Amino acid sequence: MFSGAQISLYPMTSNFVPVIMDAVKALDPHRDHLRIETDDLSTLLVGPPETLFEAMHDLFVTAARSGEHVVLHGTVSRGCPGEPDAEICKPSINMGERKPTSERISAAQAVIDAIPESKQHVSAQFSYYPLGENKEYMTEIYAAIDFIKNSGVFGRSKNFCTKLEGDSAKVFGTLGQTFLSFAPEMAHVTLDITVSANSPSTKKQ
Amino acid sequence: MFSGAQISLYPMTSNFVPVIMDAVKALDPHRDHLRIETDDLSTLLVGPPETLFEAMHDLFVTAARSGEHVVLHGTVSRGCPGEPDAEICKPSINMGERKPTSERISAAQAVIDAIPESKQHVSAQFSYYPLGENKEYMTEIYAAIDFIKNSGVFGRSKNFCTKLEGDSAKVFGTLGQTFLSFAPEMAHVTLDITVSANSPSTKKQ
């Protein structure tokens, strides 16, 4: 499997460079498990799916604690047929034989329930894309939506995406489980995620 | 067909609210052709594909001319089976019978060549997702990449996305043609786009 993410952090402040630089230090504990490359648009993380979501969460929470309005965008991908298998991407969990949808939903929920809260509130939205020759792609999308609706962080359905709201640890946990728990192990799956904290739009509401 | 976009504008300045408000005025000439709804994460545009890209371009160029580092993110979608056909989304062009890939590439390039430059330089990256029961989905992705590589704004291939650089009018034109010219007329296609101007990272290079 090849898995990774292109991520970008947008602090809505004239001091955006130090906010980004401080947040990037939060990736340090994960560096042994990730390949990291940066250009002017985004930073590539290559590594196991569970580490990708932990690293994105640590980066984002650090930036949000600056108090500035910050947004993280990520394009997360696994199983792209254009990419080689990579040892660094091996998941620590067994993705092997896919169980029925209801069992996968219960197992994913148990993982999220066990994650301690960060006490950082966030809004998020994501689009889930299971790609390729899979006739069941809308079934897997609807299963993922069922899971999300009962996850405790469901906000609302929007056109082209689903909105989440709640504690950042639960939101990133839910995104990670959505990425891992639906579509076959070898499928090409991408998740487009946007996470926002400290928006003046939410403060006004 | 149902087509639309969820777009977000991120100005990296403490004055982000006025930069966004000024840029939103650039949508005014398009309002008769679009349905527009905003929340704290993004603005939904629903309308014909060619208007979506013109409106996103006008919004982004206005924001970029503030001189601030600004980024636009958009999730652009057509043909989502979860959405009803909508009269407002009807393309002005005939998407009907799909011609061979080489003819579609030539026609798309002719459209881009005819677009006048804006004189605003941008960097961009996009991911192209033709979804559903289409066994040819990687063929259409590779055709789109061939088109992009010769479009005059190709930057480089990245993991999970393709980078573009050049005049904003040509970059948005190329994104619009990628969205329209590949995958069948009734296919479910999404395009994830990120466009950046005035980044200090590019100024250093």
Side-chain angles (χ1 to χ4, degrees):
Chain A
M1 182 195 280
F2 187 89
S3 62
Q6 289 284 1
I7 64 170
S8 304
L9 185 63
Y10 306 120
M12 261 55 76
T13 165
S14 304
N15 285 323
F16 65 94
V17 175
V19 172
I20 293 171
M21 291 305 180
D22 281 352
V24 166
K25 290 178 197 153
L27 295 179
D28 287 348
H30 303 289
R31 283 186 187 270
D32 287 351
H33 305 287
L34 295 172
R35 178 159 69 82
I36 302 179
E37 291 168 17
T38 296
D39 72 8
D40 62 305
L41 285 166
S42 59
T43 291
L44 172 69
L45 308 179
V46 175
E50 59 275 27
T51 305
L52 297 175
F53 285 88
E54 283 173 23
M56 287 190 286
H57 180 238
D58 290 349
L59 176 84
F60 184 73
V61 165
T62 304
R65 289 192 174 137
S66 69
E68 302 289 354
H69 174 27
V70 290
V71 171
L72 174 84
H73 177 261
T75 296
V76 198
S77 171
R78 65 173 168 93
C80 178
E83 308 280 1
D85 278 355
E87 189 57 33
I88 198 176
C89 299
K90 201 172 173 186
S92 60
I93 59 167
N94 177 13
M95 295 183 64
E97 192 73 25
R98 290 311 233 182
K99 295 191 170 145
T101 309
S102 60
E103 287 183 48
R104 282 185 274 148
I105 289 176
S106 300
Q109 190 59 49
V111 171
I112 297 163
D113 291 343
I115 301 173
E117 291 193 348
S118 71
K119 308 297 178 191
Q120 172 65 53
H121 185 85
V122 299
S123 293
Q125 66 191 26
F126 75 96
S127 304
Y128 170 66
Y129 304 119
L131 295 154
E133 297 181 37
N134 176 10
K135 290 192 180 181
E136 301 307 314
Y137 91 111
M138 284 305 290
T139 310
E140 291 288 323
I141 287 180
Y142 290 132
I145 291 172
D146 274 354
F147 158 65
I148 290 284
K149 284 196 170 164
N150 294 294
S151 66
V153 295
F154 177 68
R156 68 184 179 93
S157 298
K158 295 177 63 167
N159 293 91
F160 322 132
C161 59
T162 301
K163 185 171 180 177
L164 308 180
E165 284 188 272
D167 187 272
S168 66
K170 303 293 185 184
V171 167
F172 277 89
T174 301
L175 292 168
Q177 289 302 313
T178 304
F179 184 66
L180 279 170
S181 301
F182 303 95
E185 182 196 3
M186 298 311 293
H188 180 193
V189 175
T190 71
L191 203 64
D192 182 63
I193 70 173
T194 300
V195 188
S196 171
N198 310 322
S199 166
S201 303
T202 52
K203 284 176 197 160
K204 271 186 284 187
Q205 284 165 4
Chain B
M1 183 195 281
F2 187 90
S3 61
Q6 290 283 3
I7 63 170
S8 304
L9 186 62
Y10 305 121
M12 259 57 74
T13 165
S14 303
N15 285 323
F16 64 95
V17 175
V19 173
I20 293 172
M21 292 305 181
D22 281 352
V24 166
K25 290 177 197 154
L27 295 179
D28 286 348
H30 304 289
R31 284 185 187 271
D32 287 350
H33 306 287
L34 295 173
R35 178 158 70 80
I36 302 180
E37 292 168 17
T38 296
D39 72 7
D40 61 306
L41 285 167
S42 58
T43 292
L44 173 69
L45 308 177
V46 175
E50 58 276 26
T51 306
L52 297 175
F53 284 88
E54 282 173 26
M56 288 191 285
H57 181 238
D58 290 350
L59 176 83
F60 185 74
V61 165
T62 305
R65 289 192 174 137
S66 69
E68 302 289 355
H69 174 27
V70 291
V71 171
L72 174 84
H73 177 260
T75 296
V76 198
S77 172
R78 65 175 167 94
C80 178
E83 309 278 1
D85 277 356
E87 190 57 33
I88 197 176
C89 300
K90 200 172 172 186
S92 60
I93 58 166
N94 177 13
M95 295 182 63
E97 192 72 27
R98 292 309 236 181
K99 295 192 169 142
T101 308
S102 59
E103 286 183 48
R104 284 186 272 147
I105 290 176
S106 300
Q109 189 60 48
V111 172
I112 297 164
D113 291 344
I115 301 173
E117 291 193 349
S118 70
K119 307 298 179 193
Q120 173 66 53
H121 185 85
V122 299
S123 294
Q125 65 192 28
F126 75 97
S127 305
Y128 170 66
Y129 304 120
L131 294 153
E133 298 181 36
N134 176 8
K135 291 192 181 182
E136 301 306 314
Y137 90 110
M138 284 304 292
T139 310
E140 290 289 322
I141 287 179
Y142 290 132
I145 290 172
D146 273 355
F147 157 64
I148 290 283
K149 283 196 170 166
N150 294 294
S151 65
V153 294
F154 176 69
R156 67 184 179 94
S157 299
K158 294 177 61 168
N159 293 92
F160 321 132
C161 60
T162 301
K163 185 170 181 179
L164 307 180
E165 284 186 273
D167 188 90
S168 66
K170 303 293 184 182
V171 167
F172 277 88
T174 301
L175 292 168
Q177 289 303 314
T178 303
F179 184 67
L180 280 169
S181 300
F182 303 94
E185 181 195 3
M186 298 310 293
H188 180 194
V189 175
T190 72
L191 203 63
D192 181 64
I193 69 172
T194 300
V195 188
S196 171
N198 310 323
S199 166
S201 302
T202 51
K203 284 176 197 159
K204 272 186 284 188
Q205 286 165 4

